[in-house]
Amino acid sequence: MTTASSVLIVGAGFGGVAAAKELLEHGFDVTLIEAASAIGGTWHHNTYPGAACDVPSHFYSFSYAQRADWSRFCSPQAEILDYLQGTAEAFHIADRVVLDTTVTSCRWNDASATWTVDADGPGGPTSYTADAVVIATGQLNQPAYPPIGGRDDFAGRAFHSARWDHAYDLRGKRVAVVGTGASAVQFVPEIASEVVSLTVFQRTGNWFLPREHKDYSSTVHTLFRRVPPLHRLFRLSLFLYMEFLTAMIRHPTALGWIGRLASALFMRGQLTDPAVRRKAWPDYRFGCKRVLFSSAFLPALQRDNVELVTDAITGMTPAGPRTRDGRVHEVDCIIYGTGFRTTEFMFPMQVIGRGGRELRSEWDAGATAHLGISVSGFPSLFLMYGPNTNTSGGSIIFFLECQAAYLRQALELARDRGAAVDVRAEVQHAGDVETQRRFHGTAWLQCNSWYRNEAGRIVTNWPGYMRDYAARTRTLDATDYDLVHPVRQDVPVS
């Protein structure tokens, strides 16, 4: 009889829940460690006004946990969080989650071929031992702040959009928003009507496409519920639409002009003020940075109480930001809508593999993993939403399901052979070379973006289509891995 292997999952967002569901259904003993006070990941933390997903809800959801009653095309944060927590309950995952506990280190034990995971929780430091570890902290979990000199000198209230201060009343305040990324374009329209003045600091403009805000009618809900083939057809149409978005980014000359034209026509229709249009207009190729979906942000920039500032912030004063032109923008509150430290992944968590090697050192030149999942020298350690698995045109939930099924196959191999599995270095290297090569000729390489690390290497995005990733992860190639036994006897998989 095969005994249940123990797997510790770090993180209880979409990635952690996806991995747990897959592993539990195949007989693994699973524990999830979550730093927050509730299941939800980024959807637990991001509660700013207007928070929503810009991927259609019927595809930003698990294929095995579909629902017909999404309120709208792109659902709000509270609805997504409720869905994820409900899914965790339905698949008996919720009672396996240890909350309010931060993992500080994962250490491989060469002698026992197991992992020791150290964590800090309400009761103090705790250690866990597991046959395998899945790190599901993702890419959008650590707020990023801009390198503004004297940032802490500001005398007013300041907070990041991913850690929204709901106790602070914005009504009647002079507010500055630093950043115009995906979060800012959602909360700026929500707060613009409440504040006395709103100063929006933009580093670069964005390409926009419209986003539908209307609730689905009861008729649509009834059709989705009573005619399952219609629901499946709708999901297929969303899949094809998102694959075409990716195609426009992969082929900027042959197809990208279609997205650029659609975006330009939409933006010109929204930007009726010529001065604001000049400031807000992007100066880079469509698709190089994340394309944003909003029908409310550009009109909000043209309100009488809103100013769009494109001069760079050169420093902070007690009264507010100072820009390159020497002007001090006096405000009561600063909201940083400056995204996340996407290239940091799980750090500052310490991850130590075979022979004492540290993952941070291994990734000095840029994060890399075989299929974004396995890292050579770190046996039976797997990543969800790891390097080069972000998507510009698709749904990360699709990728997470692929990753969960793949790592489950790897752990089944380990369980059957009574050993840990370690991806071969040459396999990881060859895959990385191919991944980076596939970016050549795409829009992703034609500007600077959060997809790149400081050296300019793209470490976040997948260079192809969802269907490509599904094909590559569908079946584990056992010869890609070595078996690692407690006595450190490496046996090639035959």
mmCIF file of all heavy atoms in Angstrom, residues 7 9 12 16-17 20-21 24 28-34 37-40 84-99 128:
data_model
loop_
_atom_site.group_PDB
_atom_site.id
_atom_site.type_symbol
_atom_site.label_atom_id
_atom_site.label_comp_id
_atom_site.label_asym_id
_atom_site.label_seq_id
_atom_site.Cartn_x
_atom_site.Cartn_y
_atom_site.Cartn_z
ATOM 1 N N VAL A 7 2.433 17.125 1.722
ATOM 2 C CA VAL A 7 2.765 18.284 0.893
ATOM 3 C C VAL A 7 2.352 19.541 1.641
ATOM 4 O O VAL A 7 1.215 19.659 2.100
ATOM 5 C CB VAL A 7 2.043 18.238 -0.467
ATOM 6 C CG1 VAL A 7 2.464 19.418 -1.326
ATOM 7 C CG2 VAL A 7 2.315 16.921 -1.177
ATOM 8 N N ILE A 9 1.764 23.523 1.264
ATOM 9 C CA ILE A 9 1.527 24.571 0.268
ATOM 10 C C ILE A 9 1.622 25.921 0.956
ATOM 11 O O ILE A 9 0.951 26.161 1.963
ATOM 12 C CB ILE A 9 0.153 24.404 -0.396
ATOM 13 C CG1 ILE A 9 0.062 23.041 -1.100
ATOM 14 C CG2 ILE A 9 -0.113 25.534 -1.387
ATOM 15 C CD1 ILE A 9 -1.326 22.735 -1.666
ATOM 16 N N ALA A 12 -2.672 30.571 0.192
ATOM 17 C CA ALA A 12 -4.030 30.053 0.006
ATOM 18 C C ALA A 12 -4.855 31.001 -0.853
ATOM 19 O O ALA A 12 -5.998 31.319 -0.546
ATOM 20 C CB ALA A 12 -4.700 29.832 1.354
ATOM 21 N N GLY A 16 -2.777 28.304 -4.491
ATOM 22 C CA GLY A 16 -2.768 27.330 -3.410
ATOM 23 C C GLY A 16 -3.994 26.448 -3.423
ATOM 24 O O GLY A 16 -3.906 25.225 -3.224
ATOM 25 N N VAL A 17 -5.147 27.043 -3.665
ATOM 26 C CA VAL A 17 -6.387 26.267 -3.710
ATOM 27 C C VAL A 17 -6.371 25.294 -4.891
ATOM 28 O O VAL A 17 -6.784 24.133 -4.762
ATOM 29 C CB VAL A 17 -7.601 27.211 -3.789
ATOM 30 C CG1 VAL A 17 -8.886 26.433 -4.103
ATOM 31 C CG2 VAL A 17 -7.755 27.973 -2.469
ATOM 32 N N ALA A 20 -4.026 22.403 -3.985
ATOM 33 C CA ALA A 20 -4.600 21.581 -2.934
ATOM 34 C C ALA A 20 -5.723 20.692 -3.461
ATOM 35 O O ALA A 20 -5.796 19.504 -3.134
ATOM 36 C CB ALA A 20 -5.123 22.469 -1.805
ATOM 37 N N LYS A 21 -6.583 21.261 -4.281
ATOM 38 C CA LYS A 21 -7.685 20.468 -4.835
ATOM 39 C C LYS A 21 -7.162 19.287 -5.643
ATOM 40 O O LYS A 21 -7.613 18.148 -5.491
ATOM 41 C CB LYS A 21 -8.559 21.384 -5.702
ATOM 42 C CG LYS A 21 -9.782 20.700 -6.319
ATOM 43 C CD LYS A 21 -9.511 20.196 -7.730
ATOM 44 C CE LYS A 21 -10.755 19.582 -8.342
ATOM 45 N NZ LYS A 21 -10.476 18.933 -9.658
ATOM 46 N N LEU A 24 -5.318 16.677 -3.182
ATOM 47 C CA LEU A 24 -6.236 15.969 -2.293
ATOM 48 C C LEU A 24 -7.012 14.888 -3.043
ATOM 49 O O LEU A 24 -7.249 13.798 -2.512
ATOM 50 C CB LEU A 24 -7.206 16.961 -1.636
ATOM 51 C CG LEU A 24 -6.624 17.843 -0.527
ATOM 52 C CD1 LEU A 24 -7.624 18.930 -0.134
ATOM 53 C CD2 LEU A 24 -6.247 16.991 0.689
ATOM 54 N N PHE A 28 -3.002 12.776 -1.587
ATOM 55 C CA PHE A 28 -1.895 13.400 -0.864
ATOM 56 C C PHE A 28 -2.407 14.074 0.413
ATOM 57 O O PHE A 28 -3.548 14.559 0.460
ATOM 58 C CB PHE A 28 -1.187 14.430 -1.752
ATOM 59 C CG PHE A 28 -0.416 13.821 -2.885
ATOM 60 C CD1 PHE A 28 -1.017 13.591 -4.113
ATOM 61 C CD2 PHE A 28 0.918 13.453 -2.715
ATOM 62 C CE1 PHE A 28 -0.311 13.017 -5.158
ATOM 63 C CE2 PHE A 28 1.633 12.881 -3.748
ATOM 64 C CZ PHE A 28 1.020 12.659 -4.973
ATOM 65 N N ASP A 29 -1.564 14.091 1.417
ATOM 66 C CA ASP A 29 -1.856 14.769 2.675
ATOM 67 C C ASP A 29 -1.376 16.212 2.547
ATOM 68 O O ASP A 29 -0.174 16.464 2.408
ATOM 69 C CB ASP A 29 -1.144 14.062 3.827
ATOM 70 C CG ASP A 29 -1.399 14.724 5.167
ATOM 71 O OD1 ASP A 29 -2.386 15.459 5.279
ATOM 72 O OD2 ASP A 29 -0.594 14.515 6.089
ATOM 73 N N VAL A 30 -2.308 17.154 2.584
ATOM 74 C CA VAL A 30 -2.002 18.545 2.243
ATOM 75 C C VAL A 30 -2.270 19.478 3.419
ATOM 76 O O VAL A 30 -3.297 19.380 4.096
ATOM 77 C CB VAL A 30 -2.851 19.001 1.032
ATOM 78 C CG1 VAL A 30 -2.642 20.477 0.754
ATOM 79 C CG2 VAL A 30 -2.508 18.164 -0.196
ATOM 80 N N THR A 31 -1.327 20.396 3.631
ATOM 81 C CA THR A 31 -1.505 21.493 4.580
ATOM 82 C C THR A 31 -1.154 22.792 3.856
ATOM 83 O O THR A 31 -0.159 22.846 3.134
ATOM 84 C CB THR A 31 -0.581 21.332 5.804
ATOM 85 O OG1 THR A 31 -0.892 20.110 6.479
ATOM 86 C CG2 THR A 31 -0.757 22.504 6.772
ATOM 87 N N LEU A 32 -1.971 23.827 4.046
ATOM 88 C CA LEU A 32 -1.703 25.133 3.455
ATOM 89 C C LEU A 32 -1.360 26.122 4.557
ATOM 90 O O LEU A 32 -2.043 26.168 5.594
ATOM 91 C CB LEU A 32 -2.905 25.652 2.665
ATOM 92 C CG LEU A 32 -3.376 24.816 1.467
ATOM 93 C CD1 LEU A 32 -4.401 23.782 1.905
ATOM 94 C CD2 LEU A 32 -3.984 25.706 0.376
ATOM 95 N N ILE A 33 -0.322 26.916 4.346
ATOM 96 C CA ILE A 33 0.086 27.957 5.282
ATOM 97 C C ILE A 33 -0.179 29.309 4.630
ATOM 98 O O ILE A 33 0.342 29.596 3.551
ATOM 99 C CB ILE A 33 1.574 27.842 5.655
ATOM 100 C CG1 ILE A 33 1.915 26.425 6.119
ATOM 101 C CG2 ILE A 33 1.925 28.864 6.727
ATOM 102 C CD1 ILE A 33 1.233 26.010 7.386
ATOM 103 N N GLU A 34 -0.969 30.138 5.274
ATOM 104 C CA GLU A 34 -1.378 31.425 4.711
ATOM 105 C C GLU A 34 -1.047 32.544 5.686
ATOM 106 O O GLU A 34 -1.420 32.497 6.860
ATOM 107 C CB GLU A 34 -2.876 31.412 4.397
ATOM 108 C CG GLU A 34 -3.481 32.747 4.021
ATOM 109 C CD GLU A 34 -2.788 33.409 2.847
ATOM 110 O OE1 GLU A 34 -2.631 32.745 1.798
ATOM 111 O OE2 GLU A 34 -2.399 34.590 2.977
ATOM 112 N N SER A 37 -5.258 36.651 7.167
ATOM 113 C CA SER A 37 -6.250 36.174 8.117
ATOM 114 C C SER A 37 -7.386 35.398 7.459
ATOM 115 O O SER A 37 -8.303 34.941 8.141
ATOM 116 C CB SER A 37 -6.845 37.368 8.884
ATOM 117 O OG SER A 37 -7.456 38.283 7.980
ATOM 118 N N ALA A 38 -7.331 35.247 6.134
ATOM 119 C CA ALA A 38 -8.388 34.538 5.423
ATOM 120 C C ALA A 38 -7.853 34.012 4.102
ATOM 121 O O ALA A 38 -6.840 34.491 3.571
ATOM 122 C CB ALA A 38 -9.583 35.462 5.171
ATOM 123 N N ILE A 39 -8.520 33.028 3.563
ATOM 124 C CA ILE A 39 -8.217 32.519 2.225
ATOM 125 C C ILE A 39 -8.532 33.621 1.215
ATOM 126 O O ILE A 39 -9.487 34.373 1.368
ATOM 127 C CB ILE A 39 -9.072 31.271 1.940
ATOM 128 C CG1 ILE A 39 -8.647 30.115 2.850
ATOM 129 C CG2 ILE A 39 -8.987 30.861 0.468
ATOM 130 C CD1 ILE A 39 -9.585 28.917 2.784
ATOM 131 N N GLY A 40 -7.726 33.716 0.155
ATOM 132 C CA GLY A 40 -8.058 34.695 -0.875
ATOM 133 C C GLY A 40 -6.898 35.292 -1.621
ATOM 134 O O GLY A 40 -7.054 35.801 -2.724
ATOM 135 N N LEU A 84 -13.807 32.146 -4.483
ATOM 136 C CA LEU A 84 -12.619 31.372 -4.129
ATOM 137 C C LEU A 84 -12.788 30.703 -2.771
ATOM 138 O O LEU A 84 -12.467 29.519 -2.605
ATOM 139 C CB LEU A 84 -11.392 32.276 -4.126
ATOM 140 C CG LEU A 84 -10.063 31.600 -3.781
ATOM 141 C CD1 LEU A 84 -9.772 30.443 -4.718
ATOM 142 C CD2 LEU A 84 -8.923 32.608 -3.811
ATOM 143 N N GLN A 85 -13.306 31.438 -1.804
ATOM 144 C CA GLN A 85 -13.507 30.852 -0.483
ATOM 145 C C GLN A 85 -14.574 29.757 -0.530
ATOM 146 O O GLN A 85 -14.440 28.728 0.145
ATOM 147 C CB GLN A 85 -13.888 31.952 0.510
ATOM 148 C CG GLN A 85 -12.740 32.925 0.771
ATOM 149 C CD GLN A 85 -13.113 34.054 1.710
ATOM 150 O OE1 GLN A 85 -14.298 34.328 1.940
ATOM 151 N NE2 GLN A 85 -12.114 34.737 2.256
ATOM 152 N N GLY A 86 -15.604 29.956 -1.336
ATOM 153 C CA GLY A 86 -16.627 28.927 -1.498
ATOM 154 C C GLY A 86 -16.073 27.674 -2.146
ATOM 155 O O GLY A 86 -16.438 26.547 -1.775
ATOM 156 N N THR A 87 -15.183 27.859 -3.122
ATOM 157 C CA THR A 87 -14.551 26.705 -3.776
ATOM 158 C C THR A 87 -13.684 25.939 -2.785
ATOM 159 O O THR A 87 -13.679 24.695 -2.760
ATOM 160 C CB THR A 87 -13.703 27.174 -4.971
ATOM 161 O OG1 THR A 87 -14.533 27.865 -5.902
ATOM 162 C CG2 THR A 87 -13.049 25.990 -5.675
ATOM 163 N N ALA A 88 -12.957 26.665 -1.941
ATOM 164 C CA ALA A 88 -12.125 26.008 -0.925
ATOM 165 C C ALA A 88 -12.985 25.202 0.038
ATOM 166 O O ALA A 88 -12.596 24.093 0.462
ATOM 167 C CB ALA A 88 -11.313 27.059 -0.169
ATOM 168 N N GLU A 89 -14.145 25.705 0.389
ATOM 169 C CA GLU A 89 -15.061 24.960 1.258
ATOM 170 C C GLU A 89 -15.606 23.726 0.543
ATOM 171 O O GLU A 89 -15.654 22.630 1.099
ATOM 172 C CB GLU A 89 -16.222 25.867 1.688
ATOM 173 C CG GLU A 89 -15.843 26.982 2.653
ATOM 174 C CD GLU A 89 -15.647 26.488 4.070
ATOM 175 O OE1 GLU A 89 -15.943 25.300 4.343
ATOM 176 O OE2 GLU A 89 -15.190 27.289 4.907
ATOM 177 N N ALA A 90 -16.026 23.906 -0.697
ATOM 178 C CA ALA A 90 -16.657 22.818 -1.446
ATOM 179 C C ALA A 90 -15.722 21.631 -1.643
ATOM 180 O O ALA A 90 -16.164 20.472 -1.651
ATOM 181 C CB ALA A 90 -17.148 23.333 -2.802
ATOM 182 N N PHE A 91 -14.413 21.901 -1.793
ATOM 183 C CA PHE A 91 -13.451 20.824 -2.014
ATOM 184 C C PHE A 91 -12.678 20.475 -0.737
ATOM 185 O O PHE A 91 -11.613 19.855 -0.805
ATOM 186 C CB PHE A 91 -12.499 21.212 -3.149
ATOM 187 C CG PHE A 91 -13.153 21.192 -4.508
ATOM 188 C CD1 PHE A 91 -13.651 22.356 -5.075
ATOM 189 C CD2 PHE A 91 -13.303 20.006 -5.202
ATOM 190 C CE1 PHE A 91 -14.272 22.342 -6.310
ATOM 191 C CE2 PHE A 91 -13.924 19.975 -6.446
ATOM 192 C CZ PHE A 91 -14.416 21.145 -6.998
ATOM 193 N N HIS A 92 -13.234 20.862 0.419
ATOM 194 C CA HIS A 92 -12.696 20.474 1.729
ATOM 195 C C HIS A 92 -11.237 20.905 1.911
ATOM 196 O O HIS A 92 -10.424 20.181 2.488
ATOM 197 C CB HIS A 92 -12.830 18.961 1.927
ATOM 198 C CG HIS A 92 -14.210 18.442 1.641
ATOM 199 N ND1 HIS A 92 -15.297 18.713 2.453
ATOM 200 C CD2 HIS A 92 -14.697 17.700 0.600
ATOM 201 C CE1 HIS A 92 -16.388 18.152 1.944
ATOM 202 N NE2 HIS A 92 -16.056 17.544 0.825
ATOM 203 N N ILE A 93 -10.963 22.093 1.428
ATOM 204 C CA ILE A 93 -9.613 22.653 1.549
ATOM 205 C C ILE A 93 -9.520 23.611 2.730
ATOM 206 O O ILE A 93 -8.493 23.686 3.402
ATOM 207 C CB ILE A 93 -9.232 23.381 0.239
ATOM 208 C CG1 ILE A 93 -9.167 22.386 -0.922
ATOM 209 C CG2 ILE A 93 -7.899 24.117 0.381
ATOM 210 C CD1 ILE A 93 -9.114 23.045 -2.285
ATOM 211 N N ALA A 94 -10.610 24.319 3.007
ATOM 212 C CA ALA A 94 -10.579 25.397 3.992
ATOM 213 C C ALA A 94 -10.096 24.935 5.361
ATOM 214 O O ALA A 94 -9.353 25.653 6.046
ATOM 215 C CB ALA A 94 -11.963 26.036 4.103
ATOM 216 N N ASP A 95 -10.498 23.725 5.778
ATOM 217 C CA ASP A 95 -10.105 23.262 7.110
ATOM 218 C C ASP A 95 -8.668 22.767 7.161
ATOM 219 O O ASP A 95 -8.185 22.337 8.224
ATOM 220 C CB ASP A 95 -11.063 22.171 7.602
ATOM 221 C CG ASP A 95 -11.130 20.966 6.668
ATOM 222 O OD1 ASP A 95 -10.475 21.001 5.607
ATOM 223 O OD2 ASP A 95 -11.840 20.000 7.003
ATOM 224 N N ARG A 96 -7.970 22.824 6.048
ATOM 225 C CA ARG A 96 -6.561 22.443 6.014
ATOM 226 C C ARG A 96 -5.633 23.669 5.981
ATOM 227 O O ARG A 96 -4.423 23.512 5.842
ATOM 228 C CB ARG A 96 -6.276 21.562 4.790
ATOM 229 C CG ARG A 96 -6.951 20.195 4.863
ATOM 230 C CD ARG A 96 -6.726 19.389 3.596
ATOM 231 N NE ARG A 96 -7.249 18.041 3.735
ATOM 232 C CZ ARG A 96 -6.551 17.000 4.192
ATOM 233 N NH1 ARG A 96 -5.275 17.174 4.527
ATOM 234 N NH2 ARG A 96 -7.091 15.810 4.292
ATOM 235 N N VAL A 97 -6.219 24.856 6.077
ATOM 236 C CA VAL A 97 -5.443 26.096 5.972
ATOM 237 C C VAL A 97 -5.081 26.616 7.361
ATOM 238 O O VAL A 97 -5.952 26.762 8.230
ATOM 239 C CB VAL A 97 -6.226 27.170 5.205
ATOM 240 C CG1 VAL A 97 -5.390 28.441 5.081
ATOM 241 C CG2 VAL A 97 -6.624 26.659 3.816
ATOM 242 N N VAL A 98 -3.811 26.876 7.560
ATOM 243 C CA VAL A 98 -3.326 27.512 8.792
ATOM 244 C C VAL A 98 -3.168 28.998 8.484
ATOM 245 O O VAL A 98 -2.320 29.389 7.671
ATOM 246 C CB VAL A 98 -1.978 26.915 9.244
ATOM 247 C CG1 VAL A 98 -1.489 27.607 10.519
ATOM 248 C CG2 VAL A 98 -2.107 25.410 9.457
ATOM 249 N N LEU A 99 -3.978 29.834 9.132
ATOM 250 C CA LEU A 99 -4.016 31.261 8.826
ATOM 251 C C LEU A 99 -3.083 32.057 9.734
ATOM 252 O O LEU A 99 -2.574 31.556 10.729
ATOM 253 C CB LEU A 99 -5.449 31.782 8.967
ATOM 254 C CG LEU A 99 -6.492 31.177 8.022
ATOM 255 C CD1 LEU A 99 -7.893 31.632 8.410
ATOM 256 C CD2 LEU A 99 -6.193 31.529 6.573
ATOM 257 N N TYR A 128 7.560 22.771 10.308
ATOM 258 C CA TYR A 128 6.829 21.679 9.681
ATOM 259 C C TYR A 128 7.814 20.844 8.872
ATOM 260 O O TYR A 128 8.798 21.366 8.341
ATOM 261 C CB TYR A 128 5.757 22.214 8.723
ATOM 262 C CG TYR A 128 4.710 23.089 9.357
ATOM 263 C CD1 TYR A 128 4.947 24.455 9.561
ATOM 264 C CD2 TYR A 128 3.474 22.578 9.722
ATOM 265 C CE1 TYR A 128 3.983 25.275 10.131
ATOM 266 C CE2 TYR A 128 2.496 23.398 10.286
ATOM 267 C CZ TYR A 128 2.754 24.742 10.490
ATOM 268 O OH TYR A 128 1.802 25.552 11.041
#
